[in-house]
Amino acid sequence: MFGPFERMVAGRYLRARKGERFVSIIAIFSLVGIALGVATLIVVTSVMSGFQVELVSRILGVNGHITVEAYAGQKLDDYQKLVAQVRGLPDVASATPVLDGQALLSTEGGGARGGLVRGISLDDLRGLHPISDHIIAGSLANFTGDDAIIVGVSLANAYRLRVGGSLTVISPEGAATAFGTIPRVRAYRVVAIFDAGLNDYNSSVVFLPLPAAQVFFQKPNAVTGIEIRLKDADEVNAVGRELAPLLQGRQVYARDWRHANDTIIGVLQVQKDTMFIVLGMIVLVAAFNVVSSLIMLVKDKRSDIAVLRTIGASGGSIMRIFLMCGAFVGVSGTLIGTIIGVVFCRNIVAVQHFVENITGGRVFDASVFMLSELPDTVDWVDVGRVVALGLILSLLATLYPSWRAAKTDPVEALRHE
């Protein structure tokens, strides 16, 4: 498509001579603008994608792929048989019976907050690796008896709890008396502190041994739900069809991870798409700089174009020469921006810590974004979209100036020379 003659002339025009520095400087700024736009777009989209993937994976790690729950105020009796049947399904990795209840968590030092009290057996808790593999204080071996409790690191920090400390659990579902309902109150001994990697989970979820939770919530030999984890999270529909016959006749309902987290997943996707559109405008502005620099180059080379047309160069050849000049700026800027963006994404955690050490602040607030660190993943699909956007806009920006150069009349161009 591009012959040796066209490549030679385009290369000559890209090397500025004395008196042509201004046009060259504009082209450099255009290249830098495209590079910065592409790099920014890659960083933002990759961070948003990584944040979505990381958040969903951590939520699934602690909550399971399918949850079977009893209707409000109800309980699952004879749950052992149902758990055994569920575990026998071919695509099920594990099925964990749990007893959940809302309660008020408080300490002797004052202060209280609502939280989720989850009753679970020691063996099932050991199989819950996002918790059991991230015990930062204490030991799971002490998770026995009727007064043991495990709390998250955020809750422990907020209440200055340590292993061996006391946490009071208050349930609004108490005993009915002549003077009204008296809440149930019980103090538990902290035996371990975990860090699940999710701030909401660390600050509002505590674990009790299943027998102790059954006593506290007055649900003997019963649970409120079953957390099911699959070998493949995308097989929820197939497992759901297999699960339906087992749940017939029971006062329960099942929901998968997509429906349980559809709000947050939808919000993250909308944010990602919006940021792509908004930051894509940066690349568009840089593409307009390519247009202006190429128009100035065409204006500066009018006499050269006339000479080339006089010695036999066709309009198509002239157009391809300036297409190459503009494409070089766009392609080079896109390539440089891609390299900068990918390198930045790979080292974004180090950059985060560097900025936090200098400023003394927090770049990524875990209480707002739920994760403690920026994800350092690179979404190559998004990188491909950004590269395609940069190349398309850059090439489109060269069409009009190149067409104008090809339409230059050599007679008019040389009349005043």
Side-chain angles (χ1 to χ4, degrees):
M1 181 178 180
F2 298 101
F5 166 73
E6 294 149 1
R7 292 196 297 269
M8 179 192 68
V9 176
R12 177 64 191 85
Y13 285 171
L14 289 170
R15 296 190 299 271
R17 294 179 298 179
K18 185 177 180 180
E20 301 173 352
R21 301 294 182 185
F22 184 67
V23 176
S24 180
I25 290 174
I26 294 178
I28 292 174
F29 277 116
S30 301
L31 187 150
V32 172
I34 291 175
L36 291 178
V38 169
T40 303
L41 199 50
I42 287 175
V43 171
V44 172
T45 54
S46 293
V47 168
M48 293 295 293
S49 296
F51 180 74
Q52 179 176 336
V53 171
E54 188 72 15
L55 183 61
V56 170
S57 65
R58 293 193 184 189
I59 290 175
L60 293 182
V62 295
N63 288 331
H65 303 129
I66 298 177
T67 303
V68 176
E69 297 183 24
Y71 288 117
Q74 303 297 317
K75 58 183 180 178
L76 272 172
D77 296 310
D78 190 25
Y79 65 90
Q80 294 90 345
K81 179 180 178 181
L82 178 59
V83 170
Q85 291 174 330
V86 172
R87 288 173 177 170
L89 297 178
D91 294 319
V92 171
S94 66
T96 304
V98 295
L99 196 159
D100 292 340
Q102 297 292 330
L104 188 68
L105 309 175
S106 66
T107 59
E108 297 178 357
R113 68 172 64 182
L116 175 69
V117 179
R118 169 160 288 189
I120 187 172
S121 68
L122 176 58
D123 291 337
D124 288 332
L125 185 59
R126 282 175 174 158
L128 190 59
H129 296 289
I131 304 298
S132 61
D133 293 347
H134 297 87
I135 299 296
I136 61 176
S139 172
L140 288 182
N142 298 322
F143 188 63
T144 57
D146 60 353
D147 67 340
I149 193 170
I150 295 179
V151 303
V153 62
S154 298
L155 181 64
N157 292 336
Y159 289 161
R160 298 182 179 179
L161 291 171
R162 299 293 182 267
V163 174
S166 177
L167 180 68
T168 301
V169 180
I170 305 171
S171 173
E173 299 177 0
T177 68
F179 301 98
T181 301
I182 300 177
R184 289 191 300 275
V185 181
R186 176 67 190 270
Y188 293 91
R189 177 175 51 89
V190 177
V191 298
I193 300 173
F194 66 85
D195 183 2
L198 286 170
N199 186 70
D200 284 359
Y201 212 85
N202 290 337
S203 61
S204 60
V205 178
V206 298
F207 291 94
L208 288 178
L210 184 56
Q214 290 171 338
V215 171
F216 181 78
F217 290 108
Q218 297 182 352
K219 291 181 171 64
N221 300 317
V223 296
T224 58
I226 301 174
E227 296 283 349
I228 303 172
R229 290 172 178 80
L230 310 181
K231 298 175 182 178
D232 184 354
D234 294 327
E235 295 296 325
V236 290
N237 291 332
V239 176
R241 289 190 294 269
E242 297 174 350
L243 192 63
L246 304 180
L247 303 181
Q248 288 183 355
R250 294 179 178 268
Q251 297 298 314
V252 298
Y253 66 96
R255 60 176 180 172
D256 60 53
W257 64 272
R258 296 173 302 183
H259 295 92
N261 304 287
D262 55 354
T263 300
I264 189 170
I265 293 174
V267 169
L268 290 174
Q269 187 61 45
V270 170
Q271 288 181 337
K272 177 182 172 181
D273 294 339
T274 302
M275 293 301 294
F276 186 89
I277 294 172
V278 172
L279 295 177
M281 297 299 177
I282 299 177
V283 183
L284 182 60
V285 171
F288 278 111
N289 289 335
V290 175
V291 174
S292 61
S293 64
L294 203 56
I295 288 176
M296 294 188 66
L297 180 63
V298 171
K299 183 177 178 60
D300 189 64
K301 300 296 184 181
R302 280 176 59 87
S303 59
D304 291 5
I305 295 171
V307 172
L308 290 174
R309 292 296 306 275
T310 303
I311 63 176
S314 65
S317 181
I318 299 297
M319 186 173 183
R320 286 191 291 271
I321 289 172
F322 287 95
L323 278 175
M324 289 184 65
C325 292
F328 175 82
V329 175
V331 172
S332 299
T334 302
L335 179 61
I336 294 172
T338 302
I339 295 173
I340 294 174
V342 171
V343 171
F344 192 92
C345 287
R346 291 297 190 189
N347 298 277
I348 197 167
V349 176
V351 174
Q352 174 190 348
H353 294 163
F354 176 75
V355 173
E356 290 176 345
N357 292 335
I358 291 179
T359 61
R362 300 177 65 183
V363 175
F364 201 65
D365 191 350
S367 63
V368 177
F369 299 102
M370 291 187 280
L371 301 181
S372 57
E373 288 185 341
L374 287 166
D376 57 356
T377 57
V378 176
D379 191 327
W380 293 108
V381 174
D382 287 333
V383 171
R385 291 171 59 196
V386 174
V387 170
L389 177 66
L391 292 177
I392 290 172
L393 290 179
S394 300
L395 294 177
L396 288 177
T398 65
L399 293 179
Y400 176 73
S402 302
W403 177 78
R404 287 295 302 271
K407 294 299 181 180
T408 299
D409 187 353
V411 175
E412 292 294 329
L414 292 175
R415 175 173 294 177
H416 302 291
E417 293 294 329

